[in-house]
Amino acid sequence: MKKTLLITGGAGFIGSHVVRLFVNKYPDYQIVNLDALTYAGNLENLKDIENAPNYTFVKEDITNAEGISSLFQQYKFDGVIHLAAESHVDRSIVDPNAFINTNVMGTANLLNAARELWNGDYEGKLFYHISTDEVYGSLGDTGFFLETTSYDPQSPYSASKAASDHLVRAYGNTYNMPFVVTNCSNNYGQNQFPEKLIPLFINNIRNKKPLPVYGDGKYTRDWLYVVDHARAIDTVYHNGKQGETYNIGGFNEWQNIELIKVLCTQMDEKLGRQEGESAELITYVKDRPGHDRRYAIDANKIKNELGWEPSVTFEEGLSKTIDWYLENQEWLDHVTSGDYQKYYEKQYS
Ligand code: NAD
Ligand code: TYD
């Protein structure tokens, strides 16, 4: 069936994998990628599909309510997959307002534009909001986040994402707008901006720079390969039940320090360095303020109801990720030039 689909944040890390999957898999869909191209957005991520006949890129900022509204009127979107966001916890600690503007106000602008266009006729329409497990707060040593877990966000980033999740559900409840929300654990894979743990550490190991481990390094995250997240988004968009929430995770919990050791070992092998050489770069640094101790997702609902599960093991995914960064030095050089250096010095000096 022909559809026009808006994907926001498609030039970013996860968004670019979602755009690629939809453009290649659904030639009948017209895919419009809307992205403001902030520091995290990079059209080099989509070189392979930029000339596809069913793909259009639009540079726009979701905080521009008028611009967003007129795009909805122009393209008459049937569906929205909303990924555009400020996404890095450390940056949210330095500048919360950027997160409130984009994540809260930007989401409200998209909801309002969808409501205006669809005008109560919701046949074949869907607003799909991509969120994070961080909205549930921090766990102790045991337990898992379920879809029914109460929200308890602890950082400006997670609070802004929680607010946007609430808005989406409120529009569903108040205006009957068809929606789904997914809350996913930490992603890793190719094209991730090197401010997040795994690509930052790959880049630093390669350049023999210190590996800044926050606090005692015993913080725990669940890690999912980004291509598997894109597959989950495809599954939920097409088969998810309207009004539902699905948690997405990798069934793959790691303490940061243990993950970093595996990364160091793989990097030593791939770079032909002596065993243990990269681990010597590990440097414990001042902790992140308000650092959430543990995230752990129970992803059994999407597994049991929609038949999705991760397809790639962590060791395979990590190996592919390292290979990609080592083979794409030019990409890394582009994204780490200019403002990145200033960010890095401010964050880690
Ligand atoms: P990212 O930072 O790599 O990409 C975000 C994209 O949004 C960039 O292309 C950026 O240019 C764009 N953007 C930012 N502000 C914008 C604005 N005002 N208007 C238009 N575009 C704007 O982020 P990501 O890691 O790909 O995350 C994508 C989504 O997935 C986010 O909503 C994030 O909260 C969610 N998420 C991420 C993870 C993760 O581990 N990375 C996990 C769960 C959920
Ligand atoms: P990050 O990739 O920023 O994702 P999030 O905070 O959204 O989970 O961080 C993952 C974990 O790694 C988190 O516990 C913080 C830690 N971390 C470090 O120890 N050092 C670093 O330089 C970074 C960026 C993260």
Side-chain angles (χ1 to χ4, degrees):
M1 214 220 303
K2 287 208 182 304
K3 272 183 191 295
T4 304
L5 195 56
L6 172 67
I7 300 181
T8 71
F13 167 47
I14 303 170
S16 60
H17 289 273
V18 176
V19 166
R20 173 175 301 103
L21 187 155
F22 274 74
V23 164
N24 288 334
K25 188 169 172 186
Y26 302 107
D28 278 355
Y29 291 6
Q30 197 57 41
I31 305 296
V32 178
N33 169 15
L34 182 158
D35 198 296
L37 300 181
T38 67
Y39 78 92
N42 185 351
L43 289 176
E44 283 180 54
N45 294 347
L46 291 166
K47 276 251 160 281
D48 53 326
I49 55 109
E50 66 184 3
N51 295 319
N54 63 336
Y55 173 71
T56 308
F57 173 71
V58 177
K59 185 171 185 299
E60 182 55 276
D61 193 315
I62 60 171
T63 63
N64 174 8
E66 271 178 33
I68 293 300
S69 169
S70 56
L71 278 172
F72 273 71
Q73 297 301 329
Q74 181 187 346
Y75 286 100
K76 311 260 180 286
F77 300 121
D78 299 293
V80 177
I81 304 182
H82 174 35
L83 297 109
E86 288 291 342
S87 69
H88 189 38
V89 174
D90 290 329
R91 287 187 193 251
S92 83
I93 294 166
V94 177
D95 180 14
N97 276 14
F99 287 69
I100 296 162
N101 288 334
T102 286
N103 300 358
V104 186
M105 294 310 298
T107 302
N109 290 337
L110 290 165
L111 287 164
N112 289 333
R115 183 177 165 230
E116 190 185 17
L117 172 68
W118 296 339
N119 194 26
D121 177 7
Y122 293 129
E123 187 61 37
K125 307 293 192 290
L126 184 66
F127 193 103
Y128 180 176
H129 180 62
I130 306 296
S131 192
T132 164
D133 61 356
E134 306 194 23
V135 296
Y136 298 121
S138 181
L139 290 165
D141 290 342
T142 57
F144 292 91
F145 297 135
L146 292 166
E147 287 79 0
T148 50
T149 302
S150 298
Y151 275 30
D152 187 22
Q154 300 291 322
S155 72
Y157 164 64
S158 54
S160 68
K161 290 298 289 186
S164 64
D165 296 11
H166 289 318
L167 279 174
V168 173
R169 294 194 182 103
Y171 276 58
N173 180 61
T174 309
Y175 307 115
N176 294 321
M177 189 183 285
F179 75 91
V180 279
V181 176
T182 51
N183 297 82
C184 189
S185 62
N186 286 58
N187 283 218
Y188 70 97
Q190 66 193 60
N191 305 99
Q192 186 168 32
F193 193 79
E195 63 186 352
K196 307 276 169 65
L197 180 75
I198 290 180
L200 178 79
F201 278 34
I202 292 174
N203 195 31
N204 283 14
I205 292 171
R206 194 184 155 278
N207 295 315
K208 299 193 174 176
K209 282 174 66 175
L211 305 177
V213 178
Y214 294 160
D216 65 1
K218 291 186 179 161
Y219 293 85
T220 300
R221 300 291 184 261
D222 171 275
W223 293 91
L224 178 68
Y225 189 52
V226 64
V227 174
D228 279 330
H229 189 188
R231 284 178 48 245
I233 291 171
D234 177 23
T235 302
V236 172
Y237 184 80
H238 290 100
N239 304 322
K241 215 169 128 200
Q242 284 180 13
E244 290 286 318
T245 296
Y246 298 90
N247 283 349
I248 304 173
F251 301 95
N252 178 42
E253 266 185 69
W254 287 85
Q255 269 190 357
N256 291 342
I257 191 65
E258 297 307 321
L259 183 156
I260 291 160
K261 285 181 192 157
V262 174
L263 180 65
C264 287
T265 304
Q266 284 206 13
M267 291 283 291
D268 281 343
E269 279 168 20
K270 288 178 193 288
L271 292 169
R273 291 184 186 164
Q274 272 199 335
E275 204 183 319
E277 202 178 322
S278 299
E280 280 172 22
L281 298 168
I282 291 173
T283 310
Y284 288 90
V285 300
K286 193 161 136 277
D287 209 349
R288 170 188 283 175
H291 198 167
D292 288 337
R293 190 64 170 167
R294 175 170 167 259
Y295 304 143
I297 274 271
D298 182 334
N300 279 303
K301 178 175 171 183
I302 184 172
K303 185 177 172 196
N304 296 333
E305 292 185 13
L306 304 181
W308 172 90
E309 59 186 330
S311 67
V312 174
T313 66
F314 186 60
E315 284 68 17
E316 272 176 85
L318 192 63
S319 173
K320 282 183 194 211
T321 303
I322 298 169
D323 289 345
W324 186 84
Y325 280 96
L326 294 179
E327 284 157 19
N328 287 272
Q329 191 53 46
E330 205 183 326
W331 184 95
L332 258 178
D333 288 344
H334 283 179
V335 301
T336 54
S337 63
D339 282 351
Y340 180 84
Q341 299 301 335
K342 282 188 226 143
Y343 163 78
Y344 195 91
E345 264 153 47
K346 207 166 154 208
Q347 181 65 22
Y348 294 105
S349 63

